[in-house]
């Protein structure tokens, strides 16, 4: 997706008395800290002569993240992107070959990451309440399938929603299948567990540095194996002892990461205030909608919502006519993405239903509260027009 | 490898009259431009609000690279690392599955990149003069092998040495097998051809930005396919139509790349002067040595040399005792790397011989000329000691 340098809000000519007649509300404006927050750290990197390969700035960033999570720093591995981090994590915990179970309701990054780890995605459906895989369903599918060898299960935290950690830890214990969490949008809900989880620091996330991410390993030895996987699988003697790739996070981006941690609480508070504004405006409206369970207090980078009325494609078109940029975040679902149609998938009706209804509304630290009121009023207007067709 | 922030040269206490009694010569000091060369561009990135996803700074960097090569900018794709770039190039030009022929005499990055593209490395030997694959030998191996399906050949430009482009273009035409060039160290010899080539901008390269690289595609349509592969295989509608990963180069690193282009000619001249100093000192010495053909006028980031006398491991140890840091750049060869020992390889005697003899001596823009004299005098001393054992 392209992040165009657009102004946060433009009031159309002719607007009067504080209530503009038309807005332009971009889909997203990144919340990276201002240059002066990280300038000194970048200068420090430059002066140090160390630019990558597990340098001091990366170590400091990983330690700060580990402190926030209350875990050993060995378990936190900074990576060049969440997608690369998920591949490294799969290389470290899953056997080569076989299938990687994941929801069809996710971004193409999830199945891509599995393919790069030598695994073939197997798309299952999600639960209508949680928008996530259901452990009982997954276990049943595994036991019913005779042909498939399941190397891993990758859960997806939809738009940063919490996953049921104890349920999935128990699943992993019962089945012996490694369970990982693609928590790309889940920086705000990232937590310690016995699962391996990956978060993204992409510019389009609430906590962004440009390109980057981090993996939280369940223990130190897995953390060390994942760290090796990010550096071509090489041990401290530069000998490749495990499969890997180059997924190292360089010193410049680590420096920006440290700065982003300094400003995160302010960014988070601003996002949460805007998320609540959507909540209030939507409940005040007559709109009928559905949201994934447990997303109300999560600071993420879009406000996903399943609306009754027009198909998501038409809804987005109607919003665009009103200057509001929304997006079908995960398109038609991964099972319908050309490069993944060959992957096993035995029907995913909930994913199909969500794909037809869910749109991501603009949510970021700088979107004006009045713009949110405007977005919801547009939804109401579009809903009324749809009813009276 | 760890790039420690070491001083370029330390004169031991007790040194007198301009000729130090002992030196410390680090293996490598990066040649990234000083902070003030790129500060303004980084500030520009910050102010633009565009941090990645094919932003203007990346486009400007790609255009500058394309101008230098005299090719269409569509053919140049900035990537997060050369290894990731090679994977993307293989995803774009080679069929999934099958074998990827490559020299055993290379860095683990080459076979890693192939594995991430779903290909199994097949290690062949190199020629003693060029340290590269020989097209006649490769063609013979392919025709003799009945079991293997060869999806691609990846040549390696050893330490930046030129490859025989017309020979390999003819090979590709005759065999129909895609030929790619891992030219990680070959920024200085990068040139237009009908092969797909990948260079590295890693901090340990002559032209460095930290982590990064670029791919030069043989034509615009391959360039577009590789570009999609770097962005999860997505087309302009965000639909994954080809296999991919996240290998995008962000705006910050693209900005540093533009700055590095500004300073490259000076860095290059300094490296070449030092390369010539090695050449003169070595020829003046009584040392018997071998270098890959055509490397004398290439600005790269180490001075590789095969020396008679002690095994490379002992040579490096003896140099270290004298404060000179050298390295066996590619260890024992990829066929002996634990994670690749299972790959097909029918004996590679030249690689074995090179692995036992080749060491990389310190070569970078800031290594003092006198240090080079010192390094060569150490080699002479070690050679004499070896003869009189």
């Amino acid at each position: 997706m392209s992040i165009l340098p657009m102004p946060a809000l433009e009031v159309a000519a002719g607007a009067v008395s504080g209530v503009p007649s038309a807005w332009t509300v971009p889909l997203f404006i990144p919340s990276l800290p201002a240059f002066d927050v990280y300038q000194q750290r970048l200068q420090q990197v430059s002066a140090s002569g160390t630019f990558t390969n597990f340098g001091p700035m990366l170590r400091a960033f990983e330690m700060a993240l580990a402190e926030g999570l209350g875990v050993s720093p060995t378990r936190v591995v900074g990576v060049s992107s969440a997608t690369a981090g998920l591949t490294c994590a799969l290389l470290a915990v899953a056997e080569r070959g076989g299938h990687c179970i994941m929801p069809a309701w996710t971004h193409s990054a999830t199945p891509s990451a599995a393919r790069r780890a030598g695994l073939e995605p197997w798309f299952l459906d999600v639960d209508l309440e949680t928008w996530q895989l259901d452990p009982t369903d997954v276990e049943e599918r595994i036991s019913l399938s005779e042909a498939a060898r399941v190397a891993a299960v990758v859960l997806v935290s939809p738009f940063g929603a919490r996953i049921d950690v104890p349920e999935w830890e128990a699943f992993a214990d019962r089945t012996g299948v490694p369970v990982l969490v693609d928590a790309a949008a889940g920086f705000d809900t990232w937590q310690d567990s016995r699962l391996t989880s990956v978060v993204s620091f992409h510019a389009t996330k609430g906590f962004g540095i440009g390109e980057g991410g981090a993996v939280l390993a369940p223990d130190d030895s897995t953390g060390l194996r994942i760290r090796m996987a990010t550096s071509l699988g090489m041990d401290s003697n530069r000998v490749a002892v495990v499969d890997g790739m180059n997924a190292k996070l360089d010193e410049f981006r680590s420096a920006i990461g440290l700065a982003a941690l300094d400003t995160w609480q302010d960014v988070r508070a601003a996002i949460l205030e805007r998320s609540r504004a959507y909540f209030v405006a939507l409940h005040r409206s007559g709109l009928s909608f559905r949201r994934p369970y447990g997303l109300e207090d999560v600071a993420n980078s879009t406000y996903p919502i399943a609306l009754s009325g027009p198909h998501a494609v038409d809804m987005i078109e109607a919003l665009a006519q009103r200057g509001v940029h929304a997006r079908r975040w995960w398109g038609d679902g991964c099972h319908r993405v050309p490069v993944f149609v060959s992957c096993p998938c035995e029907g995913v009706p909930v994913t199909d239903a969500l794909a037809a209804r869910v749109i991501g509304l603009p949510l970021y630290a700088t979107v004006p509260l009045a713009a949110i009121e405007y977005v919801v009023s547009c939804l109401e207007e579009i809903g009324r027009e749809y009813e009276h067709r």
Side-chain angles (χ1 to χ4, degrees), chain A:
Chain A
M1 73 203 99
S2 170
I3 313 160
L4 297 169
M6 290 190 270
L9 197 71
E10 277 167 9
V11 178
V16 288
S17 70
V19 184
S21 63
W23 304 78
T24 297
V25 189
L27 182 63
F28 190 72
I29 307 275
S31 287
L32 273 79
F35 187 69
D36 56 4
V37 183
Y38 50 81
Q39 172 172 12
Q40 214 187 328
R41 285 193 179 97
L42 295 181
Q43 210 157 353
Q44 215 175 312
V45 170
S46 177
S48 77
T50 301
F51 300 97
T52 184
N53 294 7
F54 309 124
M57 209 55 92
L58 174 61
R59 280 198 294 270
F61 184 37
E62 288 172 342
M63 282 183 74
L65 291 170
E67 203 182 303
L69 292 160
V71 304
S72 141
T74 311
R75 290 175 54 192
V76 179
V77 184
V79 288
S80 58
S81 75
T83 312
L86 184 52
T87 298
C88 290
L90 284 166
L91 288 172
V93 307
E95 279 182 50
R96 274 332 74 74
H99 285 97
C100 180
I101 287 179
M102 62 182 66
W105 182 236
T106 184
H107 191 276
S108 286
T110 319
S112 279
R115 281 234 175 118
R116 297 291 74 73
L119 304 174
E120 193 60 1
W122 175 9
F123 297 120
L124 295 186
D125 208 359
V126 293
D127 179 88
L128 190 60
E129 295 305 315
T130 63
W131 296 12
Q132 300 179 24
L133 292 179
D134 173 75
T136 314
D137 177 51
V138 174
E139 199 165 350
E140 206 177 281
R141 298 290 191 124
I142 293 176
S143 69
L144 287 176
S145 161
E146 280 155 29
R149 183 164 71 80
V150 177
V153 174
V154 174
L155 313 178
V156 173
S157 148
F159 307 98
R162 286 176 185 79
I163 59 147
D164 191 333
V165 167
E167 275 264 33
W168 284 106
E169 287 179 339
F171 170 96
D173 291 343
R174 271 197 314 274
T175 61
V177 177
V179 177
L180 300 92
V181 189
D182 180 343
F187 181 74
D188 193 36
T189 52
W190 209 20
Q191 61 167 313
D192 186 15
S193 79
R194 288 193 284 115
L195 314 173
T196 301
S197 60
V198 185
V199 297
S200 169
F201 305 148
H202 190 267
T204 53
K205 298 295 184 287
F207 180 89
I209 66 170
E211 289 283 352
V215 184
L216 172 58
D219 51 65
D220 282 355
S221 88
T222 308
L224 287 170
R225 219 156 58 241
I226 294 171
R227 195 176 305 272
M228 284 196 287
T230 69
S231 185
L232 304 168
M234 297 191 298
D235 63 13
S236 53
N237 297 316
R238 299 177 61 247
V239 175
V241 292
V242 295
D243 255 321
M245 61 192 288
N246 182 355
K248 298 190 299 289
L249 191 68
D250 62 62
E251 292 290 284
F252 290 115
R253 288 180 287 166
S254 302
I256 296 171
L258 280 167
L261 284 177
D262 287 346
T263 57
W264 168 241
Q265 286 308 327
D266 290 341
V267 171
R268 179 175 189 271
I271 296 173
L272 286 178
E273 187 189 359
R274 281 149 183 83
S275 186
R276 276 191 296 270
Y278 268 116
F279 183 84
V280 170
L282 283 162
H283 281 272
R284 206 187 281 146
S285 77
L287 288 161
S288 163
F289 64 92
R290 191 183 270 281
R291 295 245 302 153
Y293 177 78
L295 208 56
E296 293 317 323
D297 61 342
V298 178
N300 57 14
S301 56
T302 188
Y303 195 85
I305 188 165
L307 287 147
S308 56
H311 187 279
V313 171
D314 302 317
M315 182 67 93
I316 285 167
E317 172 61 28
L319 282 169
Q321 283 166 6
R322 290 161 174 83
V324 176
H325 296 270
R327 177 175 283 173
R328 289 172 79 206
W329 225 258
W330 293 337
D332 290 320
C334 283
H335 60 306
R336 297 192 192 274
V337 169
V339 80
F340 301 118
V341 283
S342 62
C343 300
C345 179
E346 300 127 37
V348 286
V350 178
T351 298
D352 287 331
L354 292 173
R357 287 288 164 258
V358 175
I359 61 173
L361 299 173
L363 176 63
Y364 37 96
T366 53
V367 66
L369 294 170
I372 290 170
E373 299 275 352
Y374 174 67
V375 172
V376 173
S377 73
C378 290
L379 294 176
E380 288 183 285
E381 197 178 277
I382 296 162
R384 278 194 301 273
E385 280 178 15
Y386 182 77
E387 276 168 29
H388 296 104
R389 275 183 324 179

